[in-house]
Amino acid sequence: MAAPAELCAGQGVWNQTEPEPAATSLLSLCFLRTAGVWVPPMYLWVLGPIYLLFIHHHGRGYLRMSPLFKAKMVLGFALIVLCTSSVAVALWKIQQGTSEAPEFLIHPTVWLTTMSFAVFLIHTERKKGVQSSGVLFGYWLLCFVLPATSAAQQASGAGFQSDPVRHLSTYLCLSLVVAQFVLSCLADQPPFFPEGPQQSNTCPEAGASFPSKAMFWWVSGLVWRGYRRPLRPKDLWSLGRENSSEELVSRLEKAWMRNRSAARRHTKATTLKRKGSSDMEAPDTEPFLRQEGSQWGPLLKAIWQVFHSTFLLGTLSLVISDVFRFTVPKLLSLFLEFIGDPKPPAWKGYLLAVLMFLSACLQTLFEQQNMYRLKVLQMRLRSAITGLVYRKVLALSSGSRKASAVGDVVNLVSVDVQRLTESVLYLNGLWLPLVWIVVCFIYLWQLLGPSALTAIAVFLSLLPLNFFITKKRNHHQEEQMRQKDLRARLTSSILRNSKTIKFHGWEGAFLDRVLGIRGQELGALRTSGLLFSVSLVSFQVSTFLARVSFDRLVAFLCLEEVDPDAVDSSSSGGSARKDCITIHNATFAWSQESPPCLHRINLTVPQGCLLAVVGPVGAGKSSLLSALLGELSKVDGFMSIKGAVAYVPQEAWVQNTSVVENVCFGQELEPAWLERVLEACALRPDVDSFPEGVHTSIGEQGMNLSGGQKQRLSLARAVYRKAAVYLLDDPLAALDAHVGQHVFNQVIGPGGLLQGTADWIVVLADGAIAEMGSYQELLQRKGALMGLLDQARQPGDTGEGETEPGTSTKDPRGSSAGRRPERRPERRAQAEAEVVAEGTIPHLRQLGGQPKPLWTDNLLKSPHGALLRDKSPKLVQLAKMIRSP
């Protein structure tokens, strides 16, 4: 509040009640007194509404009425009463006819409304779970520091006897403000019902007071603990939800998809408007939509929507830091003037010295806050974009997988994402240096006069050179990233085909190719570094160079994805409720540009049905499996799968963890069910031989498993899930004869874990269904199925089949006893009629007739209906299992 007896007067001063003119400089008592009256209310009324909006959208529950909150409310209401009394006294004096300056009524009124707003903020913070407020901390600090100057002037004067009531009111108000400031330095209790799950060993930053956050005192406990002894994992704090990858990736993905869809709609509308007609066909629109996908506007907008608050806080801290940075030279200039002039009072020199010290401290404080905010933003942005890239990999279509190799994804995550996140530190360098230049030019003009134009001319003459160098560096960085992608692709191809390269002695040739590409990459990098060293003026060049990485990320994120609507997984429906798989008049293609590979497919798999899909090579059996997985683009028709789906790929994979975690795969452990699954999948003898049983680590950092063990482990992972539909791709190819028989009987057979009842066969030809029916019906028709069975005969087969296991002189792999199995390269050529069979081997035996040795390709099997694709070349073994009693 204003000092009642020390008002400003004189020429150039707006107040007329001051008996003697005060100092006319910027740091005069009149100026400080006026600032003490108006700056705190202006501060709160500017930041208060913004702060209310922020805490309204970022509530954390509500706080209980703690003693700290009650003390704040009591002091707040005391200040309101005190301001109300000041207004009442001013009105009473005016009513009595006493001559009073308008400020004696205006100032208490403004402070009364501001104090009421401050009390309202205290109450709102409790409702929204704010434990410590930075806005109110700054408000009480301003209310204490600035009016204290005028209060000290009052105490040094002799005007107390003239108006003791107003002086006592001022002193009491300052005392209450000091108490409020002390309470604002403390943090309240955590929210009573916090939003989100509770974590153990949470980070103390969330519950720290504002001074602790500003000075980073909250981290001192961990630093001191690490000084006394080495830190252990349990000493580290758990990650908050706002910093978890699950939260960050989900938020960025939603914003990215929303903005991308909006951009597509806008592009389509613009294209239609440009063409002047609204009946444009879809093929004419697609090129424009794909062209829009190469622009990086939607992703940039999504990043801004998710992370703008953190970036703006860091930018605000940087701007305030720069204000104090340029304030120090000005205060130093005033201090030098004070030293050269003996007339000013001594208190002005002390004040300037204190202000220079505080300005330097506050500059460092806000600069470190800016760095901390941007480092946190970097961490969040890196996690979000990396997760977005990984999720994109899982959703890529078949055509997109061919366009982007594994090495490209590795470069995106390790190079482009890193370069993009590093550019966050320099984003403010795009505009803030211009402000620095203007301020520095003003300072130079004040010191040098017109001579300062020389420095500006030299600086402007160097700008074109800097822009030219930046453009050239952009080009060389693009070339470097292209060579890096080529090197990663070639290295990945060499590792995949290392056996072939060793057999042919091509190590030197491929090494020369890799080194040649590496040399071109280093050449581009060397040229870029040379250009950077030549650059004499740099406006944060790394910010412009990050655009190359941003373009690469956008190009990858805009690749074609699997159609999420290709498979309807809803459980609603009347007659289709008992059908696990329903395909109605559906046409599928591998990509939007490729021709259809499956035409007019009509297929229904009831619950518990065993369906055999039969067809020659290229008929579309694998395409049908991919369509059921949702990997094909649905051109027309309808396809639905009811219930959960479990998939066993042809190439088995394992996680770098224990056996039990590989089988459970994130689900709850059921020991009894786990034992049944391990026994059925013939894994119990292998697990018993492991050092730690089911807890033995496998994978790259554990025990090495054979191909058959990996395949059975992959099958056990699917069976353990208890899914409604099982998609099994070649699950028995890597298994021995007796192991394959065991898995058939215990897992896929009618007495196994995945048992079914009905039998049905579908014959595919040229991507369409040629015929369907039971096995006997198709044999009686003597159609395509009979031709496939004849083509599947082994060379020299007379129709009598293989001998029984008990009288055979060959092992299950078709080799003579005591001899190594003979390789038969012509076996696959003779088995051109690949067969998709639904059901177990015993079910095939029940289909009737004398089964021929088949190349079993696909099997649908489940109590609820499933697809098993088995592409095993063990034809003799399969024939024995079919014919065995």
Side-chain angles (χ1 to χ4, degrees):
M1 298 179 67
E6 299 293 339
L7 304 177
C8 302
Q11 295 182 357
V13 184
W14 56 88
N15 199 302
Q16 302 293 327
T17 61
E18 179 70 25
E20 293 182 1
T24 57
S25 64
L26 184 63
L27 297 177
S28 64
L29 289 176
C30 181
F31 173 79
L32 294 176
R33 188 163 54 249
T34 306
V37 171
W38 292 104
V39 169
M42 292 175 59
Y43 164 86
L44 191 62
W45 285 108
V46 170
L47 297 182
I50 302 175
Y51 179 62
L52 277 177
L53 183 63
F54 176 80
I55 63 177
H56 176 72
H57 292 285
H58 299 81
R60 299 174 53 195
Y62 71 91
L63 305 178
R64 290 173 289 185
M65 296 185 65
S66 62
L68 179 62
F69 169 76
K70 295 177 181 178
K72 289 181 180 180
M73 294 298 291
V74 170
L75 292 177
F77 282 116
L79 285 170
I80 292 176
V81 172
L82 188 59
C83 294
T84 304
S85 64
S86 299
V87 174
V89 170
L91 291 175
W92 178 79
K93 288 186 177 182
I94 293 175
Q95 186 179 7
Q96 295 296 324
T98 305
S99 177
E100 290 282 343
E103 68 172 37
F104 289 117
L105 178 62
I106 297 176
H107 292 174
T109 305
V110 172
W111 276 61
L112 173 61
T113 56
T114 307
M115 289 296 177
S116 302
F117 185 42
V119 172
F120 175 74
L121 283 178
I122 295 175
H123 177 71
T124 305
E125 287 176 347
R126 187 184 74 87
K127 291 293 186 181
K128 296 299 181 179
V130 179
Q131 298 176 248
S132 181
S133 173
V135 175
L136 289 179
F137 176 86
Y139 172 70
W140 298 122
L141 180 62
L142 292 176
C143 289
F144 164 67
V145 173
L146 295 179
T149 305
S150 59
Q153 183 67 15
Q154 285 185 30
S156 62
F160 182 81
Q161 299 295 334
S162 61
D163 195 352
V165 176
R166 185 167 293 165
H167 282 78
L168 290 175
S169 174
T170 301
Y171 300 150
L172 181 59
C173 180
L174 283 177
S175 302
L176 295 176
V177 167
V178 170
Q180 283 281 27
F181 173 72
V182 173
L183 293 181
S184 66
C185 296
L186 305 178
D188 211 331
Q189 299 176 358
F192 190 60
F193 292 110
E195 296 183 0
Q198 291 292 319
Q199 296 178 339
S200 59
N201 195 18
T202 58
C203 180
E205 181 185 10
S209 62
F210 179 77
S212 178
K213 294 179 180 179
M215 302 292 184
F216 301 102
W217 293 337
W218 55 270
V219 79
S220 59
L222 183 64
V223 175
W224 179 249
R225 191 180 303 116
Y227 170 76
R228 291 183 297 176
R229 59 172 177 81
L231 293 176
R232 295 188 291 267
K234 66 178 182 179
D235 296 327
L236 302 180
W237 304 311
S238 58
L239 195 64
R241 180 172 177 81
E242 67 277 3
N243 294 322
S244 63
S245 59
E246 179 183 4
E247 177 72 13
L248 294 172
V249 177
S250 299
R251 291 175 57 192
L252 183 60
E253 185 179 26
K254 291 179 182 178
W256 157 247
M257 298 303 296
R258 181 174 62 253
N259 293 329
R260 187 183 180 189
S261 300
R264 285 180 173 179
R265 290 193 299 267
H266 175 72
T267 304
K268 185 175 181 179
T270 304
T271 304
L272 294 176
K273 183 178 180 180
R274 186 182 306 168
K275 291 297 182 179
S277 60
S278 58
D279 56 347
M280 182 182 298
E281 297 180 358
D284 299 331
T285 311
E286 286 297 325
F288 296 97
L289 296 180
R290 290 193 296 269
Q291 183 180 1
E292 181 274 331
S294 62
Q295 300 178 359
W296 43 269
L299 181 58
L300 186 62
K301 186 178 179 181
I303 293 176
W304 173 257
Q305 291 174 350
V306 176
F307 303 107
H308 69 278
S309 59
T310 306
F311 178 75
L312 290 179
L313 286 176
T315 302
L316 179 61
S317 301
L318 181 60
V319 171
I320 298 176
S321 173
D322 290 337
V323 170
F324 287 112
R325 177 181 289 110
F326 286 104
T327 301
V328 172
K330 190 63 178 178
L331 292 174
L332 180 60
S333 176
L334 295 176
F335 187 75
L336 294 177
E337 293 179 2
F338 168 78
I339 294 176
D341 188 5
K343 295 181 180 180
W347 65 265
K348 187 175 181 180
Y350 292 114
L351 181 60
L352 288 173
V354 171
L355 288 178
M356 282 192 295
F357 174 75
L358 292 179
S359 298
C361 294
L362 291 176
Q363 172 197 342
T364 304
L365 178 65
F366 282 100
E367 187 176 5
Q368 295 304 315
Q369 283 292 328
N370 164 70
M371 188 62 62
Y372 172 70
R373 298 292 177 183
L374 293 185
K375 287 295 184 180
V376 171
L377 177 59
Q378 279 186 320
M379 180 269 295
R380 294 176 178 177
L381 185 61
R382 183 185 297 111
S383 300
I385 297 183
T386 302
L388 193 62
V389 170
Y390 286 155
R391 292 190 180 185
K392 182 68 177 184
V393 171
L394 298 177
L396 287 177
S397 62
S398 301
S400 300
R401 292 196 193 100
K402 297 178 181 178
S404 58
V406 177
D408 298 344
V409 179
V410 173
N411 285 336
L412 284 175
V413 174
S414 61
V415 179
D416 295 305
V417 174
Q418 179 69 20
R419 188 167 295 167
L420 178 62
T421 54
E422 288 178 352
S423 67
V424 172
L425 293 175
Y426 311 105
L427 282 180
N428 289 313
L430 298 176
W431 64 275
L432 201 55
L434 301 178
V435 180
W436 297 345
I437 293 172
V438 173
V439 176
C440 291
F441 177 73
I442 295 174
Y443 281 3
L444 286 175
W445 184 269
Q446 293 176 353
L447 294 175
L448 304 177
S451 301
L453 295 176
T454 305
I456 300 299
V458 174
F459 175 77
L460 294 178
S461 63
L462 293 176
L463 284 180
L465 175 62
N466 184 75
F467 292 147
F468 173 77
I469 292 177
T470 301
K471 185 176 180 179
K472 286 296 183 181
R473 288 196 67 198
N474 239 347
H475 171 73
H476 287 290
Q477 187 187 15
E478 292 177 356
E479 179 64 24
Q480 177 196 354
M481 294 307 301
R482 281 195 296 267
Q483 298 299 330
K484 188 184 292 290
D485 290 342
L486 289 176
R487 179 170 57 87
R489 292 182 182 181
L490 181 59
T491 304
S492 178
S493 178
I494 291 174
L495 294 177
R496 288 197 307 268
N497 302 277
S498 58
K499 184 182 295 185
T500 303
I501 295 175
K502 287 287 187 179
F503 285 164
H504 291 81
W506 291 342
E507 298 93 334
F510 279 96
L511 179 61
D512 293 339
R513 290 188 59 185
V514 173
L515 293 179
I517 296 176
R518 177 60 176 170
Q520 297 179 8
E521 179 184 349
L522 291 177
L525 183 61
R526 190 180 300 108
T527 306
S528 177
L530 181 62
L531 290 173
F532 180 74
S533 63
V534 174
S535 177
L536 301 179
V537 180
S538 178
F539 273 117
Q540 308 297 350
V541 179
S542 58
T543 303
F544 295 100
L545 297 180
R547 181 175 179 178
V548 177
S549 299
F550 200 87
D551 290 337
R552 287 164 50 85
L553 284 170
V554 173
F556 177 79
L557 294 177
C558 290
L559 292 176
E560 182 185 359
E561 298 182 1
V562 174
D563 185 10
D565 299 327
V567 181
D568 182 12
S569 58
S570 61
S571 59
S572 60
S575 60
R577 183 174 301 174
K578 297 182 179 180
D579 297 333
C580 279
I581 300 177
T582 302
I583 306 178
H584 177 67
N585 199 23
T587 301
F588 301 94
W590 283 102
S591 64
Q592 297 180 356
E593 294 80 10
S594 61
C597 56
L598 294 175
H599 308 272
R600 301 177 303 277
I601 302 297
N602 290 278
L603 183 63
T604 299
V605 181
Q607 181 176 355
C609 178
L610 304 176
L611 178 65
V613 182
V614 180
V617 173
K621 303 180 301 299
S622 299
S623 300
L624 180 60
L625 174 62
S626 300
L628 291 172
L629 290 172
E631 296 182 353
L632 297 188
S633 176
K634 185 177 63 177
V635 180
D636 191 14
F638 172 80
M639 180 172 62
S640 173
I641 296 181
K642 310 297 181 182
V645 178
Y647 173 58
V648 177
Q650 185 175 2
E651 297 181 1
W653 59 273
V654 295
Q655 292 180 297
N656 297 326
T657 180
S658 63
V659 176
V660 62
E661 292 179 356
N662 268 277
V663 176
C664 295
F665 201 55
Q667 294 187 336
E668 185 178 355
L669 176 61
E670 299 181 16
W673 177 242
L674 177 64
E675 290 297 327
R676 292 186 58 189
V677 171
L678 294 178
E679 182 66 29
C681 297
L683 284 172
R684 173 46 60 188
D686 301 285
V687 171
D688 292 340
S689 64
F690 292 164
E692 300 180 10
V694 294
H695 300 287
T696 303
S697 297
I698 59 177
E700 296 180 357
Q701 300 178 356
M703 290 190 59
N704 292 326
L705 301 183
S706 64
Q709 290 174 330
K710 291 182 179 179
Q711 191 67 47
R712 283 177 280 143
L713 188 64
S714 181
L715 180 62
R717 183 189 301 121
V719 175
Y720 185 85
R721 192 186 178 193
K722 299 180 181 179
V725 178
Y726 288 84
L727 306 179
L728 312 179
D729 188 353
D730 198 5
L732 304 178
L735 305 185
D736 295 333
H738 64 284
V739 177
Q741 182 71 64
H742 175 84
V743 172
F744 263 112
N745 295 335
Q746 300 297 325
V747 178
I748 308 176
L753 299 180
L754 308 180
Q755 54 184 348
T757 54
D759 297 316
W760 199 256
I761 298 177
V762 172
V763 182
L764 283 180
D766 297 329
I769 296 179
E771 59 180 356
M772 67 175 62
S774 64
Y775 183 76
Q776 296 296 337
E777 293 175 353
L778 296 182
L779 288 181
Q780 293 176 1
R781 295 177 187 174
K782 297 182 179 180
L785 180 61
M786 288 296 298
L788 292 175
L789 295 177
D790 293 338
Q791 293 176 11
R793 292 176 181 270
Q794 291 290 339
D797 187 4
T798 59
E800 297 178 358
E802 297 293 335
T803 59
E804 297 296 330
T807 59
S808 175
T809 59
K810 294 185 179 181
D811 64 6
R813 302 191 181 194
S815 59
S816 302
R819 296 172 51 191
R820 295 183 60 184
E822 298 180 358
R823 288 189 172 270
R824 306 184 63 177
E826 70 278 12
R827 177 176 296 176
R828 186 180 181 104
Q830 297 296 331
E832 289 296 326
E834 296 187 6
V835 176
V836 182
E838 197 268 337
T840 63
I841 297 304
H843 276 74
L844 290 177
R845 191 188 308 118
Q846 297 174 3
L847 295 178
Q850 293 293 330
K852 302 300 187 290
L854 305 180
W855 186 308
T856 305
D857 188 49
N858 288 0
L859 292 169
L860 282 98
K861 182 72 190 73
S862 169
H864 308 288
L867 176 67
L868 166 64
R869 182 174 179 270
D870 188 356
K871 199 172 183 180
S872 174
K874 303 175 182 180
L875 305 180
V876 177
Q877 168 199 349
L878 181 59
K880 292 180 179 180
M881 287 191 294
I882 292 175
R883 298 183 59 189
S884 61

